[in-house]
Amino acid sequence: MNVLVTGGSGYIGSHTCIQLLAAGFNPIIVDNLCNSKKAVLKRIKQVSGSTPTFIQADVRDKAALVAALSEHNIEAVIHFAGLKAVGESVEKPLEYYDNNVNGTLVLVDAMREAGVKRLIFSSSATVYGDPASVPITEDFPTSATNPYGRSKLMVEECLTDFQKANSDWSITLLRYFNPVGSHPSGELGEDPQGIPNNLMPFVAQVAVGRREFVSVFGNDYPTKDGTGVRDYIHVMDLADGHIAALQKVGPKPGLHIYNLGTGNGHSVLEMIAAFEKAAHRPIPFKFVDRRPGDIAECWADPSKAQTELGWRASHTLDAMVNDSWRWQSTNPQGYSDQ
Ligand code: NAD
Ligand code: WQD
């Protein structure tokens, strides 16, 4: 079965392509390379033995999408393409709404024209805003505190309305918690451009000597050790969640919503300590002020995905940090080979 993967050369998309190939699917990537490099394709080949078809195009280019969907007999689309930096979204809201919201609308319009009716969308735990309690189930109220989060929420709402009006479509919203880790081969991983916004790539760059210390954003939260607590999930588990969704609910018309998380919360200090163990070296850190907009704690109740998709995260925290370190230590500058 041919699957169009928008944003397939990015962090989560590239790992999902590997798992798609392993499960017998044929991924066709559409990516404009605004936050990834073509070198990823060589790494996918190294790991899986196959190079996915790659189309360099923007998801806002409807003609290119209709052509890709029709020429490759696509049966389902996994839509990763989008911008994802919260801070940048505050500076450049128009770019975020255009890429994330308009990009999705153009994609769905192209799918409609090409007669493709199965879509899996990369949503985020950010749509839960500041949750009243943890763990978070899919029926918690949603809200947003920044343009990135609002763009995810808007897309969820647009897709919900669209599915209501087009009941023969299967639309799946996957709400990811905090993806970390790398392919166990060390060939693929997260390669942020500039200063990493997220904790784990920052920690990895400190470990490898690219940065001096980690700034820990706040040590006065009402949590186990005062630092923020999150549900970190191995990117390979996340990738497998897409395969499970494709197989289990892809063929079923309806709107399907799942949390993809582990159900466990780890603090910033626990993550740093785990990484120190993996890298066999101290990771210097300093406590600084809280980051505006951050919440104290957030973790998933992943039982709906377990019951309905037969999926559950299986990688341990040690696997997350060991794999992340293997990638970072063997590729200290990321995909520098272009
Ligand atoms: P990423 O930046 O590594 O991958 C996104 C890919 O989309 C990149 O290869 C980029 O070049 C491409 N892209 C961006 N805009 C495009 C456009 N207009 N047309 C074509 N290609 C475009 O990000 P990721 O971490 O792999 O995230 C994938 C998806 O998952 C995003 O939608 C993101 O919002 C969502 N998500 C990510 C996280 C996270 O922490 N990484 C958490 C929750 C949800
Ligand atoms: C994790 C913890 C920070 C960096 C963000 C987005 C969310 C989703 C995932 C896409 C927090 C602390 C961080 C640092 C730190 N993305 N931290 N020092 O904030 O949970 O979620 O990425 O959808 O939408 O908001 O992830 O990795 O930035 O932070 O102390 O240098 O680490 O305060 O407690 P977050 P994160």
Side-chain angles (χ1 to χ4, degrees):
M1 178 171 149
N2 294 348
V3 180
L4 192 84
V5 184
T6 76
S9 41
Y11 172 46
I12 305 169
S14 58
H15 290 80
T16 303
C17 284
I18 303 256
Q19 295 309 80
L20 282 168
L21 287 163
F25 293 97
N26 181 29
I28 286 101
I29 297 176
V30 168
D31 200 300
N32 68 0
L33 297 177
C34 71
N35 198 36
S36 56
K37 294 180 183 149
K38 255 191 153 173
V40 172
L41 298 173
K42 279 191 266 167
R43 304 294 184 93
I44 294 177
K45 167 97 199 271
Q46 254 169 273
V47 170
S48 69
S50 312
T51 312
T53 302
F54 178 81
I55 300 162
Q56 185 167 349
D58 195 293
V59 288
R60 292 162 294 181
D61 180 347
K62 187 180 162 195
L65 289 180
V66 172
L69 291 162
S70 313
E71 283 164 20
H72 295 278
N73 295 315
I74 299 295
E75 289 184 53
V77 176
I78 307 182
H79 180 36
F80 293 105
L83 304 179
K84 64 165 182 177
V86 172
E88 187 186 59
S89 80
V90 176
E91 305 296 318
K92 300 177 175 175
L94 206 61
E95 281 78 356
Y96 273 68
Y97 293 124
D98 188 26
N99 262 277
N100 296 2
V101 183
N102 184 32
T104 306
L105 299 184
V106 173
L107 169 67
V108 173
D109 197 22
M111 288 174 68
R112 179 165 61 172
E113 196 162 313
V116 181
K117 297 178 178 178
R118 294 182 196 178
L119 174 66
I120 295 177
F121 172 64
S122 297
S123 191
S124 167
T126 191
V127 301
Y128 295 116
D130 192 351
S133 60
V134 277
I136 301 168
T137 53
E138 287 81 354
D139 53 7
F140 266 40
T142 53
S143 66
T145 54
N146 57 70
Y148 168 74
R150 216 164 347 264
S151 76
K152 290 289 170 190
L153 204 47
M154 283 179 183
V155 171
E156 284 206 356
E157 287 167 352
C158 292
L159 292 177
T160 302
D161 288 341
F162 179 80
Q163 201 286 325
K164 239 180 243 166
N166 296 272
S167 57
D168 55 338
W169 278 56
S170 169
I171 297 186
T172 306
L173 312 177
L174 297 180
R175 295 175 176 162
Y176 314 153
F177 280 68
N178 290 59
V180 296
S182 306
H183 190 271
S185 63
E187 294 293 339
L188 286 110
E190 189 170 9
D191 183 18
Q193 307 303 303
I195 301 171
N197 299 298
N198 294 114
L199 176 67
M200 291 317 283
F202 203 105
V203 169
Q205 291 193 5
V206 172
V208 83
R210 275 174 73 175
R211 305 191 185 275
E212 218 184 316
F213 61 89
V214 180
S215 298
V216 176
F217 299 147
N219 61 348
D220 58 351
Y221 284 106
T223 58
K224 46 183 144 184
D225 60 19
T227 65
V229 170
R230 297 290 184 274
D231 186 339
Y232 296 94
I233 175 168
H234 198 296
V235 68
M236 297 303 289
D237 279 329
L238 201 59
D240 286 338
H242 294 74
I243 316 299
L246 203 53
Q247 291 171 331
K248 285 284 165 70
V249 292
K252 291 187 192 159
L255 181 78
H256 314 286
I257 305 179
Y258 299 102
N259 285 339
L260 294 185
T262 65
N264 302 314
H266 293 289
S267 72
V268 175
L269 294 182
E270 284 172 346
M271 296 309 285
I272 293 175
F275 212 98
E276 285 181 329
K277 199 172 112 198
H280 304 290
R281 61 191 68 188
I283 306 216
F285 65 86
K286 289 183 188 167
F287 291 121
V288 300
D289 286 347
R290 290 181 180 192
R291 184 171 62 180
D294 271 357
I295 57 177
E297 51 188 12
C298 166
W299 66 88
D301 177 340
S303 53
K304 187 174 179 223
Q306 196 180 329
T307 310
E308 295 183 15
L309 302 180
W311 168 91
R312 71 185 301 171
S314 63
H315 291 73
T316 60
L317 179 59
D318 281 344
M320 298 180 210
V321 289
N322 285 333
D323 290 341
S324 180
W325 177 238
R326 189 172 305 108
W327 154 255
Q328 190 68 62
S329 55
T330 51
N331 300 270
Q333 302 299 325
Y335 293 110
S336 51
D337 52 345
Q338 207 29 252

